Amino acid sequence: MPKKTETSVSFEQALQELESIVRRLEGGDMPLEDALNEFEKGVKLAKSGQQTLQKAEQRVQILMKPDSDAELTTFTPDSH
């Protein structure tokens, strides 16, 4: 079984890390090589986040698709 090269993080954790990277890069206090490494990590996080959002959008579209085989019934709330 192949090992993952990076540990899996949640979308929210990746977004926080990306925001942190942006702040560090905007600070302009790091050496060029470190800045390039941070930028590369940020690009990977952004791409991963974009893929996660695309998958979520596809799931929502599938869930919202009308089911032509579903039987329609009248909704009657309980009178309790």
Side-chain angles (χ1 to χ4, degrees):
M1 182 183 319
K3 290 184 178 180
K4 288 187 176 181
T5 55
E6 295 182 18
T7 58
S8 178
V9 296
S10 73
F11 176 78
E12 291 78 10
Q13 290 171 327
L15 186 58
Q16 286 178 345
E17 178 64 21
L18 184 56
E19 290 171 345
S20 176
I21 289 170
V22 169
R23 281 193 300 276
R24 288 193 300 268
L25 288 173
E26 287 177 341
D29 297 341
M30 64 176 66
L32 178 61
E33 190 63 32
D34 292 344
L36 286 172
N37 289 334
E38 289 291 295
F39 180 77
E40 182 178 5
K41 185 176 179 181
V43 169
K44 288 179 183 178
L45 286 169
K47 286 181 180 180
S48 173
Q50 185 176 18
Q51 289 174 345
T52 300
L53 288 174
Q54 286 173 342
K55 287 178 184 177
E57 183 180 6
Q58 289 173 344
R59 287 180 64 189
V60 168
Q61 288 175 353
I62 289 169
L63 292 170
M64 297 301 294
K65 187 190 316 186
D67 186 359
S68 60
D69 295 333
E71 180 180 330
L72 296 177
T73 59
T74 305
F75 175 74
T76 52
D78 291 334
S79 59
H80 294 93

